[in-house]
Amino acid sequence: MTADLHATASTRLRADGQRYTPRRRALVDLLADSDQPLTIPQLLEHRKDLAQSSAYRNLAILERAGVVHRIVTTDEFSRYELAEDLTEHHHHLICSSCGDVTDFTVPAAVEHDLEAALSKVAKRSGFRARSHRLDLVGTCATCE
Amino acid sequence: MTADLHATASTRLRADGQRYTPRRRALVDLLADSDQPLTIPQLLEHRKDLAQSSAYRNLAILERAGVVHRIVTTDEFSRYELAEDLTEHHHHLICSSCGDVTDFTVPAAVEHDLEAALSKVAKRSGFRARSHRLDLVGTCATCE
DNA sequence: GATCGAACGAGAACGGTTCTCATGACCGAG
DNA sequence: CTCGGTCATGAGAACCGTTCTCGTTCGATC
């Protein structure tokens, strides 16, 4: 299943005219092993051999290829996670004190109703929806 | 009702040890008149007499006082809107092509179920939720 | 192995935002 | 009404996360 992940990543990059290099694979591995979106400093901390500029460049490439997703909150750093179709549909708890972001899911029934309501809104306003984003903002257990 | 708005803004600023000056009132007026969150360039465009540095400073002060809310998407500029309890609870259509953000609401029933599901999640993970955020990401009618 | 284009990494450059500081406005005391 | 002190203002400098540049290195292909 990790093999699948790398195969998918490789395919998507190739479709975008890019290679699946060791550095890019390392980034995907780090994101796959995490249960929360990571900032670039966090990624570099885990893999000291990655260069900052390359990390930025490769994450941008992986994002364009649809392999990773970039999240930006009010805190100073962007965060990266695997694209949603490579993991499972989930949402984020965002701590407005420390900036930390962790994943959560809601029951399928709620998700389904929400989806229905949103597609109605989109249709009404001529908006082509690609995805929705549901975050809970507050303070996490450790900042509390 | 606009009078109420200014009275509330003034009260909240004073509670934070700040004055409700003409510049700050101008910002609140601009945001109140808009049906979408505005970037600083957009604000300055509407009111040419506002200085950029003061706009940044005053919006930060208004945000700390709980009068305005700052929204950050993947595009280059932050956007500002009135705090949710000064308007009505709403969500955002975010165009990933032009970056434009517009408001929308969902039926109260859906909102209610969502609220219930979220508070359950928050409790389970020891997270103190302050608000939720639901955005629809895609391409708007004019970019389509 | 040779070759050539793409990926890499160190550092410079960029740009939205924040900070600095001299000036001006406001408010209370006398 | 005037003086003083405090805070807001605005032009520009500084900041810092991110992007770009460019010489070097890697790796796929023959």
Side-chain angles (χ1 to χ4, degrees):
Chain A
M1 125 169 209
T2 304
D4 276 2
L5 170 61
H6 290 302
T8 306
S10 178
T11 303
R12 293 192 184 174
L13 279 174
R14 230 179 293 279
D16 205 36
Q18 300 285 343
R19 297 180 188 160
Y20 195 41
T21 67
R23 310 295 187 185
R24 293 172 188 172
R25 173 186 273 264
L27 290 170
V28 169
D29 270 330
L30 285 173
L31 295 179
D33 287 347
S34 175
D35 62 346
Q36 61 176 221
L38 299 176
T39 65
I40 292 213
Q42 288 171 335
L43 288 167
L44 299 181
E45 180 62 27
H46 281 77
R47 285 286 305 260
K48 299 271 197 336
D49 58 323
L50 296 178
Q52 188 192 52
S53 61
S54 298
Y56 274 106
R57 176 165 22 80
N58 285 327
L59 286 167
I61 287 168
L62 286 166
E63 190 189 16
R64 246 199 322 280
V67 178
V68 311
H69 181 227
R70 176 188 183 176
I71 298 163
V72 30
T73 67
T74 51
D75 97 323
E76 45 186 344
F77 296 103
S78 289
R79 285 153 205 279
Y80 295 86
E81 65 182 1
L82 290 183
E84 195 151 69
D85 62 351
L86 296 177
T87 55
E88 63 171 341
H89 180 61
H90 64 274
H91 304 285
H92 297 126
L93 295 173
I94 301 177
C95 177
S96 50
S97 169
C98 68
D100 204 60
V101 178
T102 56
D103 297 349
F104 75 91
T105 57
V106 297
V110 175
E111 196 71 58
H112 182 266
D113 291 351
L114 189 56
E115 200 69 63
L118 291 179
S119 77
K120 207 170 295 178
V121 168
K123 175 164 298 181
R124 192 184 325 135
S125 50
F127 189 88
R128 179 192 295 273
R130 189 157 40 73
S131 64
H132 71 261
R133 209 167 64 182
L134 172 63
D135 304 324
L136 207 47
V137 182
T139 47
C140 71
T142 60
C143 284
E144 188 64 8
Chain B
M1 128 170 203
T2 304
D4 276 3
L5 171 61
H6 290 303
T8 307
S10 179
T11 303
R12 291 191 187 175
L13 280 174
R14 230 180 292 281
D16 205 38
Q18 299 285 344
R19 298 179 188 160
Y20 195 40
T21 68
R23 310 297 186 184
R24 292 173 191 172
R25 174 187 273 264
L27 290 170
V28 169
D29 271 329
L30 285 173
L31 296 179
D33 287 347
S34 174
D35 63 344
Q36 61 176 221
L38 299 175
T39 65
I40 293 215
Q42 288 171 333
L43 288 167
L44 298 182
E45 181 61 27
H46 281 75
R47 285 287 305 260
K48 299 270 197 339
D49 59 320
L50 294 178
Q52 187 191 56
S53 62
S54 297
Y56 274 107
R57 176 165 21 80
N58 286 328
L59 286 167
I61 286 168
L62 287 166
E63 189 189 15
R64 243 198 328 278
V67 178
V68 311
H69 182 226
R70 176 188 183 177
I71 299 163
V72 29
T73 67
T74 50
D75 97 324
E76 45 187 345
F77 295 103
S78 290
R79 286 155 205 277
Y80 295 85
E81 65 182 1
L82 290 183
E84 196 150 70
D85 62 351
L86 297 177
T87 55
E88 64 170 343
H89 180 61
H90 65 274
H91 304 286
H92 296 126
L93 295 173
I94 300 176
C95 177
S96 50
S97 169
C98 68
D100 203 60
V101 178
T102 56
D103 297 350
F104 75 92
T105 58
V106 297
V110 175
E111 196 70 57
H112 182 267
D113 290 353
L114 187 57
E115 200 68 64
L118 291 179
S119 78
K120 207 170 295 178
V121 169
K123 175 165 293 179
R124 193 183 325 135
S125 51
F127 190 87
R128 179 192 296 274
R130 188 156 40 72
S131 65
H132 71 262
R133 209 167 64 183
L134 172 62
D135 303 325
L136 205 47
V137 182
T139 47
C140 71
T142 61
C143 283
E144 187 64 7

